[in-house]
Amino acid sequence: MIIGGPSSQLLAGRVAAVLGEELALCEYRTFPDGESYTQVVASLEERVIIIQSTPTDQDLVYLLQLLDICQESSIDLVVPYFGYARQDKIFKPGEPMTARAVATALNPFLRRGKVHLVNIHAPSILSHFSCPADNLDATPLLADKVASLGLKDLVVISPDKGAVAMARTAASALGADCDYLQKTRLSGTEVSMAPKEIDLRNRDVVIFDDMIATGGTMATAIEMLRAQGAARVYLAAVHPVLTGSAVLKLYRSGVEGILATDTLDRGVSTVSVAPIIAKALLKG
Ligand code: R5P
C-alpha cells in the first residue's frame, strides 16, 4: 500500500502506477489555528510505503502524522526532497544540526523500516538514521532528458565543487566536456562566481546542481556563462525548490530552459523519479 503525503501526491501516484500497488486515500487539512490534520482512509497493511517530501515545516508535521498513523506497520519511508539537508553541520556555535534533528524525530517510527532519499545534499545525513537508508541518484534520468534536446558541442557545468560528481556522471552519460565554477556566497540570497578558464564560445551548456532554491546560484552562473559567449544555457536540477521569484530571476538571466524532477511538484518537473523509487522499493 502506498500512502502519498500532501507534497508528493503526483509522485506517489506515479510510483503506485509503476508498481501496480494500491494508493491509499488520505485527507489533509489545516485547522483554523494553523495546526495540521491528517487521516488515512484505508485499512493499513503489514507493510506500507509513505512518500512525502518536506519542503516546509508543515510538510514535516504531516509526515510525522503519517508515521504515527502507520506505526504498527513496517514502513518504507521515501522522502524525495528532504528539507533542512543544507543544515547538515553546526556552522556557528549555538546552532542546531537540523538535518540530524529531523532524522532523530523520524527514527522511532522506523524500527522495522527503511528510508529512501534522492540526491541528498549531504550524504552524511544518511548516518543519522538508525534504520537502513539509501540515496537514490536521479542524475541519469536528467541526463536522458538533456540528451533528447539535441544540444550542440555540449559542456556540462557544475556551479560549485559540491555538484562536480553529479556533473561528471551527467557528462559521461552525454559524452560531453565537464567543468565547475568557483562560487562565493555573499548572503542568503546572493552569490558571486569566479570565471573558470573554459572556452564556452558558441557551445551549448547545461548546468547541473542538486537543487535550485532562490535561483541566485544559477542566475549568476547563467549570466557569467552567457558573458563568456556560451550559446544556449539550460539548467538541470533534481530538486526544484524555486522559492519566491526564482523562475523570473532565471529567465531574466537568459536561461533557455529548466529541467527538473518531480521530487517537488512544480511546473518544471518534467522528469519523474518514480522509476528509481519503484526499483529501490522492489529491492527492499
Ligand atoms: C548549494 O550548495 C546547493 O547545491 C545549491 O547550489 C544551492 O542550495 C542553491 O541555492 P540558491 O538557488 O538559493 O542559490
Side-chain angles (χ1 to χ4, degrees):
M1 169 176 287
I2 298 191
I3 298 177
S7 71
S8 298
Q9 298 181 53
L10 185 59
L11 180 55
R14 287 172 174 160
V15 172
V18 173
L19 293 175
E21 290 288 345
E22 183 192 345
L23 189 60
L25 185 62
C26 303
E27 195 188 332
Y28 302 105
R29 282 194 272 120
T30 305
F31 285 112
D33 61 359
E35 291 186 350
S36 303
Y37 172 88
T38 294
Q39 186 189 11
V40 176
V41 194
S43 310
L44 295 176
E45 293 174 356
E46 170 65 19
R47 181 188 178 209
V48 299
I49 296 162
I50 298 175
I51 306 181
Q52 165 72 342
S53 284
T54 54
T56 67
D57 291 357
Q58 188 175 20
D59 285 311
L60 184 57
V61 172
Y62 280 127
L63 174 55
L64 287 168
Q65 291 179 329
L66 287 172
L67 288 165
D68 192 72
I69 291 165
C70 299
Q71 62 179 294
E72 301 301 330
S73 302
S74 140
I75 301 172
D76 265 275
L77 173 61
V78 183
V79 190
Y81 172 73
F82 185 87
Y84 289 103
R86 287 176 294 178
Q87 292 189 34
D88 60 317
K89 291 187 188 84
I90 295 171
F91 295 94
K92 288 188 214 146
E95 287 182 351
M97 195 190 295
T98 314
R100 178 180 59 190
V102 171
T104 305
L106 305 181
N107 276 334
F109 299 102
L110 298 168
R111 283 189 203 99
R112 291 183 292 140
K114 197 166 178 192
V115 171
H116 309 273
L117 309 179
V118 180
N119 290 91
I120 187 74
H121 180 71
S124 60
I125 292 169
L126 300 179
S127 69
H128 300 310
F129 287 99
S130 49
C131 65
D134 60 15
N135 183 24
L136 309 175
D137 186 9
T139 312
L141 299 173
L142 283 167
D144 279 354
K145 187 74 178 181
V146 171
S148 74
L149 299 175
L151 301 179
K152 297 267 178 313
D153 208 8
L154 181 62
V155 184
V156 174
I157 292 282
S158 162
D160 56 26
K161 280 191 184 164
V164 164
M166 194 183 174
R168 283 203 186 118
T169 303
S172 127
L174 290 159
D177 290 339
C178 183
D179 210 335
Y180 74 91
L181 307 173
Q182 265 164 342
K183 175 173 81 171
T184 313
R185 184 163 283 282
L186 304 174
S187 71
T189 54
E190 272 183 303
V191 292
S192 75
M193 287 183 185
K196 204 66 182 102
E197 288 305 317
I198 173 171
D199 192 357
L200 296 167
R201 269 171 299 174
N202 303 318
R203 297 184 73 172
D204 287 335
V205 176
V206 181
I207 313 173
F208 269 77
D209 206 353
D210 60 337
M211 70 171 84
I212 311 175
T214 64
T217 304
M218 289 294 208
T220 308
I222 297 161
E223 279 163 19
M224 202 204 79
L225 297 175
R226 280 170 51 86
Q228 288 185 357
R232 293 172 289 184
V233 181
Y234 284 84
L235 304 183
V238 178
H239 309 296
V241 182
L242 299 174
T243 61
S245 52
V247 173
L248 288 178
K249 210 183 285 178
L250 296 170
Y251 275 91
R252 271 180 62 85
S253 301
V255 75
E256 196 74 24
I258 305 169
L259 310 174
T261 81
D262 55 2
T263 60
L264 292 168
D265 183 11
R266 306 280 191 261
V268 296
S269 305
T270 52
V271 175
S272 182
V273 293
I276 55 171
I277 291 175
K279 194 169 164 200
L281 291 169
L282 282 174
K283 255 205 253 166

